[in-house]
Amino acid sequence: FVEFAAAMRMPGTESLPRFPEAAAKLAKQIAAKPQKAAAENFPAWLAWTVHQKTIEKLKTEPVEDLRIDFEDGYGFRPDEEEDGDSERAAIELARSVATGKATPFIGFRPKSFAPETYARAVRTLEIFLERFAADIGDAFPADFAVTLPKITDRKQVKDLCDRLTKIEKKAGIARGTIGVEIMIETPEALIDKKGQFAVRGIAEAGKGRVTSAHFGAYDHTSLLGISAGHQHLRHEACNFARQIMLTTLSPLGIRLSDSVTTNLPVPLHRGKASTAQENENRRSVHAGWAEHFSNVTNSMANGFYQSWDLHPNQLVARYAAVYAFFIGSRPQNEARLKGFIDKATKANLIGSTFDDAASAQGIFNFFRIGIDCGAFEAAEVAASVGVTADEMRSSAFQQIVSARSES
């Protein structure tokens, strides 16, 4: 997920091309040699494969999801300025959608529905969505979402959804068209005043609109009183929060997105640089990539297959981490899954119970997600493990086993 401030005018048709150009240029300049990248300890074949796929991704589809941010990234402005920016951002986004230049997933984030920013949040919400809906007409995007930050009570989600229903009715679009993303970044969003888990209730308050939940590590740790020097994505407070989200929201089919890496992979020196300064720039970028690569990998290992990027340069480490995660583990997972299918089928044919279906399903999920993110092709994986491409995409492991046992 990519978050950029509305003031940067990034959703316009003239601005969006800067992202692929910036990311591809940096990747070509600094990561031209795979052995110099953050994945330098990987086998040569894996480093080269990941390098090639990452460069291709940056050239063809560098940004998959864009949020226009009127919250922290935008800050506090005079009302007339935010009113104007809200309308202009809606106009530009509608234009990019109409011309086919918008990202596949789009949306925007107003300020919190907390009392101190409520009036401003509602005003921006209505200005933006009403203008966007008016300009886009019948072609309102199916994957558009409003991200609600700093939630402290399920009533805030209900309030947002009620307002979205009114906006949809006024615009003449189907009810439920506009999705909602909840940001879990306050202690109250995890455990309510009664001491009960709050996350699931917050999601259910959306009445089917909630498509994803995003974790805000830095707001969360700050509100817990953790000092700035000790705030990071792997703090135990963050691990605890993510586990609550994973346990309560995954069964509902809600996508989970992890937080940001704030150490950006950017050069320290601008303009014409000396050899020493160029080396410092390279070390700075590599250090930022390495941290982001590590954080993205850790997120995926813990069931969060998406997270946010704050800068185009982070896209390099983002895709490198995703491809390395899946491609690097593909050989052993293919062998394991094929073995599970063979053993399970034989066991069922003689009336025994296969007791490792959970492990096999986990591997099956690994391949599904890997296929969805483009790490590998469904047909290739299906052929190597002995299933069809349709089975790989539409069936659970146990269903495949059962169907084959009955035939």
Side-chain angles (χ1 to χ4, degrees):
F1 285 80
V2 186
E3 166 193 310
F4 296 103
M8 296 172 67
R9 307 285 188 264
M10 289 306 182
T13 56
E14 296 301 317
S15 301
L16 276 178
R18 296 176 187 173
F19 292 113
E21 290 173 3
K25 181 179 179 181
L26 187 72
K28 183 177 181 180
Q29 288 178 339
I30 301 181
K33 296 181 180 179
Q35 66 268 26
K36 295 293 185 181
E40 61 183 4
N41 292 323
F42 287 177
W45 71 268
L46 179 57
W48 178 253
T49 303
V50 169
H51 175 262
Q52 293 298 101
K53 288 187 72 71
T54 299
I55 294 297
E56 183 62 24
K57 179 68 173 178
L58 293 173
K59 290 179 179 178
T60 57
E61 190 186 45
V63 181
E64 297 180 347
D65 197 324
L66 180 70
R67 291 292 170 274
I68 304 171
D69 182 31
F70 281 95
E71 201 221 359
D72 289 345
Y74 181 78
F76 294 95
R77 315 284 182 93
D79 280 342
E80 58 272 18
E81 183 177 350
E82 185 161 341
D83 287 350
D85 283 343
S86 302
E87 186 164 8
R88 282 190 292 273
I91 292 170
E92 289 297 312
L93 185 60
R95 185 179 300 160
S96 67
V97 171
T99 57
K101 295 183 178 180
T103 54
F105 300 89
I106 54 175
F108 92 115
R109 178 171 71 170
K111 290 178 173 60
S112 166
F113 271 27
E116 57 271 20
T117 55
Y118 179 78
R120 182 63 259 179
V122 169
R123 186 166 169 174
T124 298
L125 178 82
E126 293 177 346
I127 291 174
F128 184 97
L129 287 180
E130 288 178 5
R131 181 54 192 261
F132 180 71
D135 284 9
I136 206 69
D138 296 334
F140 201 97
D143 292 308
F144 183 93
V146 175
T147 306
L148 185 63
K150 296 178 177 59
I151 299 168
T152 57
D153 193 294
R154 60 185 296 168
K155 294 178 182 178
Q156 295 170 338
V157 177
K158 183 180 183 303
D159 185 357
L160 171 62
C161 292
D162 289 343
R163 293 182 180 278
L164 294 180
T165 298
K166 294 178 182 178
I167 291 172
E168 289 167 340
K169 183 177 181 180
K170 183 177 180 180
I173 58 179
R175 180 170 181 170
T177 297
I178 303 174
V180 170
E181 297 171 331
I182 55 176
M183 292 203 70
I184 306 301
E185 48 189 342
T186 69
E188 295 89 342
L190 293 172
I191 299 176
D192 63 22
K193 296 177 181 178
K194 297 180 180 180
Q196 299 176 337
F197 289 122
V199 180
R200 183 162 185 151
I202 287 173
E204 290 177 339
K207 296 182 179 180
R209 284 189 190 266
V210 176
T211 58
S212 63
H214 303 249
F215 178 52
Y218 293 92
D219 279 286
H220 183 65
T221 50
S222 177
L223 290 169
L224 291 175
I226 297 168
S227 61
H230 296 280
Q231 291 177 309
H232 55 83
L233 294 185
R234 302 193 195 188
H235 193 286
E236 285 305 316
C238 295
N239 293 334
F240 176 70
R242 282 191 292 262
Q243 285 303 307
I244 293 178
M245 293 175 65
L246 186 68
T247 303
T248 58
L249 298 182
S250 287
L252 300 180
I254 293 174
R255 290 183 291 108
L256 301 177
S257 177
D258 210 345
S259 195
V260 299
T261 298
T262 56
N263 180 21
L264 301 181
V266 295
L268 300 176
H269 306 284
R270 306 289 179 176
K272 188 175 181 179
S274 65
T275 300
Q277 289 174 330
E278 288 179 352
N279 289 333
E280 287 183 358
N281 285 346
R282 186 174 293 105
R283 286 193 294 270
S284 175
V285 172
H286 281 177
W289 277 351
E291 183 174 336
H292 194 42
F293 184 101
S294 177
N295 284 339
V296 171
T297 301
N298 185 69
S299 295
M300 292 188 292
N302 285 284
F304 282 66
Y305 291 96
Q306 295 174 314
S307 52
W308 294 58
D309 298 318
L310 298 174
H311 192 280
N313 293 2
Q314 289 185 314
L315 298 171
V316 179
R318 154 81 50 203
Y319 294 120
V322 170
Y323 293 140
F325 183 86
F326 288 101
I327 296 172
S329 300
R330 175 179 171 175
Q332 57 266 45
N333 277 313
E334 282 183 340
R336 288 186 66 195
L337 184 57
K338 188 176 187 303
F340 281 140
I341 291 174
D342 291 343
K343 292 178 183 178
T345 303
K346 292 176 182 177
N348 280 332
L349 286 174
I350 61 173
S352 300
T353 300
F354 180 62
D355 61 1
D356 210 2
S359 297
Q361 185 62 51
I363 299 174
F364 214 68
N365 294 340
F366 165 87
F367 281 115
R368 277 209 186 123
I369 298 171
I371 290 167
D372 287 342
C373 77
F376 26 71
E377 298 295 326
E380 295 176 0
V381 175
S384 64
V385 299
V387 299
T388 67
D390 288 340
E391 285 176 327
M392 181 63 69
R393 284 199 170 277
S394 62
S395 303
F397 171 77
Q398 198 61 56
Q399 290 176 322
I400 294 176
V401 172
S402 298
R404 295 188 178 194
S405 298
E406 293 171 0
S407 62

